[in-house]
Amino acid sequence: MDHEADAYRTDLMTITRFVLNEQSKYPESRGDFTILLSNIVLGCKFVCSAVNKAGLAKLIGLAGETNIQGEEQKKLDVLSNDVFVKALVSSGRTSVLVSEEDEEATFVESSKRGKYCVVFDPLDGSSNIDCGVSIGTIFGIYTMSHNDEPTTEDVLKPGNEMVAAGYCMYGSSCMLVLSTGTGVNGFTLDPSLGEFILTHPDIKIPKKGNIYSVNEGNAQNWDGPTTKYVEKCKFPKDGSPAKSLRYVGSMVADVHRTLLYGGIFLYPADKKSPNGKLRVLYEVFPMSFLMEQAGGQAFTGKKRALDLVPEKIHERSPIFLGSYEDVEEIKALYAAED
């Protein structure tokens, strides 16, 4: 028996231990955020398990059908939404929830209310489940600024007011990437322990990358700066090598790769979607928050993404995010248009 290996396995930085360590830096902290986060982590573990069993358990495409017990079976995205709403409400630490799956915001009943508002996409890229491509959960957390009745105004704030953001990617491994405003850390689920272990401490995105990620099927509808930028990626005039194109079509997978390897992810506005396609609150803001915390940038074509002030909970925006220098290039092209 390898005692040394066993000893090593006992000194693991789990996500719970990591968050408690962070909490100890703030003597006034009551542990509310830690409790909220542990409920989000539990939701991620549940969804990870459901995603892995999806093909076997016939969870795919069965919303509305009834199983032998007479229970209505749910599609994975509906199931994931239920899991996160229940986990967040039962934490007793939330007041307002905004989900991609729900048209209206959810206001937590007064007996279970807390000081946080959570915006989330319970299963981003769910159309990719059938072909086994990585999908994920994206979330962002705001603090309530008052003790009155919660309203949608409590979440219609710029992304620079978020206190934390992250995503959980369900792929070849289950990985949770989190920032509480002091850098970005990645945790991988060890299935034998049922724990997220710190595997990617203090993630920093390379200053410049050699990958661009965009749906080129929309190229005929793009504006001038986007067209010029992609042309430059493919046919650089300065003698530098062309960039490689990588596009999964699942935002979590594409942003995760961009964060680790560098490069740029773009979902611009176009003639079909003049306001862009990705939702501000639970896609653009959390991913922009993570990118900036890792040393990258996020830009909408007009301004810094985190400075946007949304007017509706499901508002959309164009987005260009990734390595600092790559985003600088697209900013220069938009500035030249003005």
Side-chain angles (χ1 to χ4, degrees):
M1 189 171 168
D2 190 344
H3 290 291
E4 252 181 69
D6 277 1
Y8 170 73
R9 278 181 65 78
T10 58
D11 189 31
L12 297 169
M13 180 59 80
T14 65
I15 194 163
T16 312
R17 183 176 159 195
F18 180 86
V19 173
L20 286 169
N21 283 359
E22 288 294 303
Q23 185 189 316
S24 66
K25 295 175 189 170
Y26 304 93
E28 73 287 357
S29 169
R30 298 213 323 270
D32 288 339
F33 182 74
T34 307
I35 291 166
L36 171 62
L37 209 61
S38 68
N39 280 50
I40 290 173
V41 167
L42 180 63
C44 291
K45 288 178 187 173
F46 188 101
V47 173
C48 178
S49 166
V51 166
N52 288 340
K53 288 189 281 209
L56 299 167
K58 291 262 189 284
L59 278 168
I60 297 167
L62 286 180
E65 287 191 22
T66 306
N67 67 12
I68 307 157
Q69 286 83 26
E71 298 164 335
E72 206 177 60
Q73 295 191 351
K74 295 177 178 179
K75 259 189 178 166
L76 265 177
D77 44 7
V78 180
L79 177 78
S80 306
N81 189 48
D82 288 354
V83 165
F84 277 101
V85 169
K86 290 191 171 100
L88 292 166
V89 171
S90 67
S91 73
R93 301 298 184 275
T94 58
S95 282
V96 188
L97 309 178
V98 172
S99 167
E100 191 263 349
E101 291 287 321
D102 296 326
E103 213 169 309
E104 304 293 331
T106 300
F107 299 104
V108 180
E109 59 183 277
S110 54
S111 63
K112 292 182 178 169
R113 259 182 222 154
K115 64 176 183 180
Y116 294 105
C117 305
V118 183
V119 292
F120 61 100
D121 185 343
L123 205 59
D124 182 74
S126 53
S127 59
N128 277 321
I129 295 168
D130 288 3
C131 60
V133 165
S134 294
I135 51 181
T137 299
I138 310 172
F139 61 90
I141 302 171
Y142 288 104
T143 311
M144 290 279 284
S145 51
H146 59 83
N147 295 319
D148 306 329
E149 277 295 299
T151 68
T152 48
E153 295 305 312
D154 294 312
V155 287
L156 294 176
K157 297 175 180 174
N160 56 37
E161 289 186 30
M162 275 186 175
V163 292
Y167 61 80
C168 187
M169 186 176 71
Y170 315 111
S172 53
S173 60
C174 178
M175 188 163 173
L176 197 149
V177 174
L178 173 72
S179 174
T180 54
T182 51
V184 182
N185 291 280
F187 303 83
T188 305
L189 184 64
D190 181 337
S192 64
L193 295 172
E195 285 280 10
F196 279 100
I197 310 296
L198 179 64
T199 50
H200 294 64
D202 196 22
I203 296 170
K204 292 278 180 246
I205 185 170
K207 277 268 176 268
K208 192 172 174 64
N210 59 1
I211 295 171
Y212 73 105
S213 186
V214 64
N215 181 353
E216 290 221 39
N218 294 329
Q220 63 177 356
N221 297 315
W222 288 343
D223 62 13
T226 301
T227 305
K228 281 182 195 153
Y229 181 77
V230 173
E231 192 70 9
K232 195 173 163 190
C233 290
K234 295 197 279 194
F235 306 104
K237 301 272 197 301
D238 57 4
S240 59
K243 288 189 190 300
S244 296
L245 170 66
R246 297 281 183 275
Y247 187 70
V248 178
S250 172
M251 190 192 191
V252 171
D254 282 313
V255 170
H256 186 66
R257 183 201 54 249
T258 306
L259 193 60
L260 295 184
Y261 299 166
I264 188 166
F265 169 83
L266 35 157
Y267 210 117
D270 59 31
K271 290 179 191 129
K272 279 192 304 181
S273 312
N275 298 318
K277 187 141 178 275
L278 297 176
R279 272 66 55 108
V280 172
L281 274 182
Y282 41 79
E283 290 176 326
V284 170
F285 278 172
M287 294 310 202
S288 301
F289 187 94
L290 290 166
M291 277 298 163
E292 286 199 5
Q293 285 292 321
Q297 287 195 82
F299 176 65
T300 66
K302 292 191 172 78
K303 58 165 82 170
R304 175 190 176 210
L306 291 179
D307 290 341
L308 268 178
V309 183
E311 290 171 16
K312 303 193 295 288
I313 60 173
H314 297 296
E315 193 170 305
R316 299 171 190 262
S317 168
I319 186 67
F320 306 84
L321 53 79
S323 294
Y324 195 92
E325 289 178 19
D326 291 325
V327 178
E328 276 297 304
E329 283 185 36
I330 195 99
K331 281 164 78 174
L333 289 167
Y334 272 97
E337 287 278 297
D338 294 342

